[in-house]
Amino acid sequence: MQHLQEPSFRQSVDIMFNRAAALLDLAPGLEEKIRVCNSTYVVRFGVRLRGQIHTFTGYRSVHSEHLEPVKGGIRYALAVNQDEVEALAALMSYKCALVEAPFGGSKGGLCIDPRQYDEEELERITRRFAFELIKRDLINPSQNVPAPDMGTSEREMAWIADQYHRMSTTDINGRACVTGKPINAGGIAGRVEATGRGIQYAMREFFRHPEDVARAHLDGTLDGKRIILQGLGNVGYHAARFLEEEDGCRIIGIIERDGAIIDENGLPVERVKAHLNETGGVRGFPGAEYTADGMSVLAHECDILIPAALEGVINMSNAHAIQAPLIVEAANGPITAAADEILRGKGTVIIPDLYANAGGVTVSYFEWVKNLSHIRFGRMQRRQEEARHQLIVDELEKLSADKGLGWTLSPDFKEKYLRGAGELELVRSGLDDTMRAAYQSMREVWHGRDDVHDLRIAGYIVAIQRIASSYRALGL
Ligand code: NAD
């Protein structure tokens, strides 16, 4: 049955949840308990800027506290509202459960267009917002840990961490109050690009299964696949760059706020990003075809469509026209529940948001653990690992010389084998493992149950079962 009206973002998340929950045998009342958002705090605060007081509205929603702390980004955008923040908080609960990050779900937002303020003004606004949340324990290493999202970055996270430190000077674990910080403020290697890296690992894992690739009417590997991307921000830029540079994909279209550019031969992601940073848009990028109607490019023919900007962009108005056989939801909620139904009807395969963009929270989890353990990953083991590898190489070379075997180890092999894993290598390894394991858990449900026909519902089923067992363990 198709919906007559476009569902809101929160309704969309609930509809998808309900579809999955209907296939599970949950204890009476538990379904409702998991679905509802536990609380939303709304704050209005004033900041004196440019000679007058400006009032801002901010939110922090806690969807589920089956595990604490709860976790979820803080978004800066004019369109932020309660419905959106609650939808994003719910998605965080399901996402954390799916990738086994031991957190409940939360999300925050501030109604602001950050491009309208200079750095000093943004710092004052951020510190004031953080103050309001910290004093209510809505930012706290053991209760509620934010991270970056649309419109925020490591800069804002550093201000938040510092604000927490000013207000809780004796909290030895204070740095764990927020993730996505710069390295010199307690961050972790690989966090900035983690969500984009996670998209790449998710796609690689999907393409390791020819049977799954065939369901999307595609074949082969990622090499040569033609991609259209919406949103060249933190998530979209890193995902596109890695896919272009390391997997041989061709980014044939990029959609931004001011329109879209197309080049069948492939757009150089790094140079488009530089142009975007310089001019504020993609218009005028040399050598590419430009169209002001960026949204229409979502429906262009391509192998893979990656919406990486904002929610609801694929909806009842354009879902029928989408030609991509595979969609990777790098953004949260880019496909409404109504569009999801239309696309499923057409046989489009969707790698869902709760899985595809979980790389950010996964590496945030590693950062939080690093902050609590007060030591950089790899610091104790790296040189010891190198020394043990050196022993083997020396022994092999000695054997070869003693026996006159003439073996030689290539310098390239030796260089790679002898290098112990530093923090970045460990973070990547942990992220790759997480993305592979989460895909396997979804895949088992997708292929193993006759009543499950898509990865999204499979992902929700895995997540809901895990949250339900946490609640059972709590005696609920
Ligand atoms: P960002 O602010 O860094 O980038 C967003 C990009 O989208 C910008 O380049 C912006 O110009 C562009 N954009 C905005 N409106 C657009 C429009 N109407 N059409 C085309 N482009 C538009 O944000 P981000 O952190 O990359 O987040 C993007 C999405 O990914 C969001 O849905 C967010 O919730 C999700 N996400 C982010 C993270 C993270 O770690 N940052 C983690 C998980 C999910």
Side-chain angles (χ1 to χ4, degrees), residues 307-374:
L310 59 166
E311 60 263 18
V313 291
I314 301 175
N315 48 49
M316 287 165 76
S317 75
N318 61 357
H320 286 287
I322 301 291
Q323 297 188 60
L326 177 63
I327 304 179
V328 183
E329 291 187 319
N332 282 308
I335 301 176
T336 67
D340 187 68
E341 198 168 315
I342 296 168
L343 291 165
R344 272 185 290 119
K346 296 201 318 179
T348 311
V349 171
I350 299 167
I351 303 186
D353 47 9
L354 76 159
Y355 168 65
N357 69 34
V361 74
T362 301
V363 177
S364 275
Y365 167 41
F366 302 155
E367 180 177 334
W368 182 74
V369 171
K370 174 186 178 179
N371 293 152
L372 295 179
S373 52
H374 301 268

Side-chain angles (χ1 to χ4, degrees), residues 71-73 88-105 107 149 195 329-333 352-362 434-435 438 459-460 463-464 466-467:
K71 188 118 193 44
L88 289 164
L91 269 178
M92 282 306 296
S93 295
Y94 309 140
K95 194 179 300 185
C96 289
L98 181 62
V99 295
E100 297 181 283
F103 302 124
K107 202 82 182 191
D149 192 72
T195 310
E329 291 187 319
N332 282 308
D353 47 9
L354 76 159
Y355 168 65
N357 69 34
V361 74
T362 301
T434 302
M435 296 311 287
Y460 269 83
I464 295 168
R466 289 184 181 157
I467 296 173

Side-chain angles (χ1 to χ4, degrees), residues 234-309:
N234 179 304
V235 178
Y237 160 67
H238 287 109
R241 190 160 71 80
F242 297 147
L243 290 164
E244 177 198 26
E245 289 175 5
E246 297 170 15
D247 297 284
C249 295
R250 251 189 301 153
I251 314 298
I252 61 164
I254 294 179
I255 309 165
E256 256 294 330
R257 289 176 204 263
D258 66 330
I261 48 173
I262 300 163
D263 185 348
E264 260 302 323
N265 297 317
L267 293 156
V269 175
E270 193 76 65
R271 278 178 32 221
V272 178
K273 181 70 175 173
H275 180 84
L276 178 69
N277 288 345
E278 252 168 54
T279 68
V282 288
R283 187 189 185 129
F285 184 76
E289 182 193 329
Y290 169 78
T291 165
D293 182 10
M295 286 296 284
S296 67
V297 176
L298 287 171
H300 267 219
E301 197 270 319
C302 64
D303 297 318
I304 306 169
L305 177 62
I306 308 184

Side-chain angles (χ1 to χ4, degrees), residues 21 42 64 88-89 94 135 168-169 189 203 205 231 270 286 312 314 319 359 396 439 465 473 476:
V42 187
S64 175
L88 289 164
Y94 309 140
K135 73 178 184 191
S168 319
T169 47
M203 291 171 67
E205 181 59 15
E270 193 76 65
I314 301 175
L396 273 176
Y439 188 79
Q465 281 174 328
L476 250 177

Side-chain angles (χ1 to χ4, degrees), residues 6 57 59 91 105 175 197 235 330-331 333 340 419 474:
E6 193 79 77
T57 305
Y59 302 86
L91 269 178
R175 280 187 155 179
R197 188 60 84 184
V235 178
D340 187 68
R419 193 175 345 116
L474 291 174

Side-chain angles (χ1 to χ4, degrees), residues 49-204:
L49 302 167
R50 304 173 198 175
Q52 72 175 81
I53 293 177
H54 293 249
T55 302
F56 297 92
T57 305
Y59 302 86
R60 187 82 186 153
S61 283
V62 175
H63 171 259
S64 175
E65 291 147 294
H66 62 286
L67 290 173
E68 283 187 315
V70 293
K71 188 118 193 44
I74 290 185
R75 173 176 288 198
Y76 282 6
L78 271 183
V80 162
N81 59 62
Q82 186 164 344
D83 188 272
E84 179 186 78
V85 178
E86 291 187 357
L88 289 164
L91 269 178
M92 282 306 296
S93 295
Y94 309 140
K95 194 179 300 185
C96 289
L98 181 62
V99 295
E100 297 181 283
F103 302 124
S106 181
K107 202 82 182 191
L110 188 64
C111 297
I112 183 177
D113 178 355
R115 292 171 305 170
Q116 303 305 317
Y117 300 89
D118 65 28
E119 188 162 354
E120 196 191 316
E121 291 171 334
L122 276 174
E123 178 174 351
R124 285 169 61 196
I125 297 163
T126 301
R127 284 186 181 276
R128 186 61 215 277
F129 183 32
F131 171 83
E132 296 293 335
L133 298 180
I134 293 163
K135 73 178 184 191
R136 291 171 180 86
D137 286 335
L138 288 165
I139 296 178
N140 181 300
S142 57
Q143 291 196 31
N144 198 322
V145 182
D149 192 72
M150 228 168 106
T152 57
S153 66
E154 26 174 57
R155 181 183 66 175
E156 286 73 15
M157 303 306 117
W159 293 332
I160 292 173
D162 185 63
Q163 188 63 32
Y164 182 86
H165 179 64
R166 288 184 189 187
M167 294 167 72
S168 319
T169 47
T170 55
D171 185 348
I172 195 169
N173 292 321
R175 280 187 155 179
C177 76
V178 65
T179 58
K181 303 177 291 292
I183 298 271
N184 61 11
I188 193 168
R191 174 59 184 92
V192 174
E193 68 272 29
T195 310
R197 188 60 84 184
I199 303 283
Q200 177 196 34
Y201 289 165
M203 291 171 67
R204 283 184 179 173

